[in-house]
Amino acid sequence: MSIGHPDGRLIVRMQNGDVDALGELYETYKSRIFRTALAITRDPGAAEDILQETFLRLFRCAERIQTDVPVGPWLYRVAVNLSYSWVQKRWYRLGPLEAVLDRLTAPLHLLPEKLLERGEVQERVRLAIAGLPLPHRVVVVLFYLEGLSLKEIAEVLEVPEGTVKSRLHYARESLRQMLGEQRVLSGVAYEFT
Amino acid sequence: MSSRNPLPQHPLDHLIAAALRNEVADAEPSPAVWKRTRRRALSWLARTQPHAVWNGTTSFSPMPLALGRGVIALHGELSVLRFWEYAGMLLRFGW
């Protein structure tokens, strides 16, 4: 097996039971994986558990990991799947949330003028993202927060690139409608011009 | 992963990116996460390679375990580690 990437050398060491090699990969990727899990679950405790489980699975599956490509996509894939599981289990535990979500994602034009300040706007955007369907939210996090390309997201999620593009498009449209585009964007346009 | 997409230039895209960054950009896991991860990795190694011993650098040497009290003490410690590991997994993931 060829070792064409620095991560590959650490994978080979892990295959020989070297936990220090796992530690080096952990230091390299921990922040990205943790932030991704946190942005999806919005729960710091869950994000830490997901981070831990992701790297444990890396160690246990080291024999099957490719050594000629970066291990990042594999880590993202596992973390996203674990985040999915956590969110879905939480929904089952808490019961229907439609009423709560409706309240949290009320269009901005229904809010008093004084609440349209930058901090409030960002909070509304965050809540609107949290209200997206989970598959759309995941794509939004990977694209806007982690800066992955559509191709990379497709590799992480193991879906066609067209599916990623479609989910991103519908996520943006949903956010635009939830946020009431004209109201929000006219309020902050000066920051970006 | 090395690529960072330049964001589309619509204000909505900047708003989404800024909101996500401000929410989690400074977030870091606690140091305890690595300690737990390392402990469980070592526990898994001991279970899957029961006839090996750890050397000082935590990598494995293919040496047989010592007999007598050394074996009992090692298995006792691993049993405790296993208990906490399974208890933790049950609490966190329902397994």
Side-chain angles (χ1 to χ4, degrees), chain A:
Chain A
M1 184 185 294
S2 68
I3 305 176
H5 191 274
D7 289 352
R9 286 190 275 279
L10 295 171
I11 299 291
V12 170
R13 284 169 55 190
M14 284 198 310
Q15 291 170 355
N16 294 319
D18 190 343
V19 177
D20 291 337
L22 178 67
E24 291 185 45
L25 283 170
Y26 181 88
E27 279 304 307
T28 302
Y29 288 102
K30 65 174 183 183
S31 298
R32 280 174 270 180
I33 300 302
F34 178 70
R35 282 197 306 260
T36 299
L38 182 59
I40 296 172
T41 63
R42 307 191 82 218
D43 185 301
E48 288 195 342
D49 288 342
I50 288 166
L51 174 68
Q52 176 184 312
E53 184 60 25
T54 298
F55 279 89
L56 277 172
R57 290 191 185 192
L58 176 67
F59 193 68
R60 291 172 189 147
C61 299
E63 295 286 337
R64 301 196 287 273
I65 305 282
Q66 285 181 279
T67 56
D68 55 344
V69 294
V71 76
W74 191 95
L75 291 170
Y76 275 115
R77 187 179 306 133
V78 172
V80 166
N81 286 336
L82 288 171
S83 301
Y84 262 98
S85 295
W86 188 90
V87 171
Q88 286 164 345
K89 280 199 180 79
R90 186 162 177 260
W91 283 346
Y92 289 134
R93 282 202 301 272
L94 294 181
L97 294 177
E98 290 89 349
V100 176
L101 285 175
D102 282 344
R103 178 175 59 82
L104 293 177
T105 59
L108 276 174
H109 65 268
L110 298 178
L111 296 179
E113 181 79 30
K114 62 182 178 181
L115 291 182
L116 290 178
E117 299 172 358
R118 187 194 307 190
E120 295 291 337
V121 169
Q122 287 205 350
E123 181 60 22
R124 297 302 292 183
V125 174
R126 282 196 285 271
L127 291 173
I129 293 170
L132 288 172
L134 189 54
H136 294 180
R137 193 191 329 165
V138 167
V139 170
V140 165
V141 168
L142 293 176
F143 186 78
Y144 287 101
L145 179 65
E146 295 301 312
L148 304 187
S149 67
L150 298 181
K151 184 171 179 235
E152 287 168 333
I153 296 172
E155 184 186 348
V156 167
L157 300 180
E158 295 182 304
V159 297
E161 196 172 325
T163 301
V164 175
K165 201 178 289 187
S166 171
R167 288 181 189 174
L168 191 60
H169 168 76
Y170 283 114
R172 289 182 81 253
E173 287 307 304
S174 297
L175 289 171
R176 192 194 305 275
Q177 289 176 20
M178 279 194 278
L179 296 170
E181 178 181 19
Q182 190 172 3
R183 188 69 164 181
V184 174
L185 297 181
S186 63
V188 299
Y190 69 89
E191 293 184 29
F192 305 111
T193 55

Side-chain angles (χ1 to χ4, degrees), chain B residues 13-82:
Chain B
D13 300 296
H14 290 282
L15 203 56
I16 296 169
L20 285 170
R21 275 198 302 267
N22 288 338
E23 184 174 24
V24 304
D26 295 329
E28 291 288 336
S30 70
V33 175
W34 169 242
K35 290 179 187 171
R36 288 198 300 268
T37 305
R38 184 175 178 278
R39 189 171 63 240
R40 288 182 58 187
L42 290 172
S43 173
W44 178 82
L45 273 176
R47 281 203 310 279
T48 55
Q49 300 187 36
H51 299 297
V53 294
W54 297 309
N55 62 27
T57 61
T58 75
S59 17
F60 263 39
S61 305
M63 292 172 59
L65 274 177
L67 296 176
R69 284 192 300 173
V71 173
I72 296 171
L74 179 65
H75 282 186
E77 183 183 340
L78 291 176
S79 297
V80 170
L81 282 173
R82 240 172 280 161

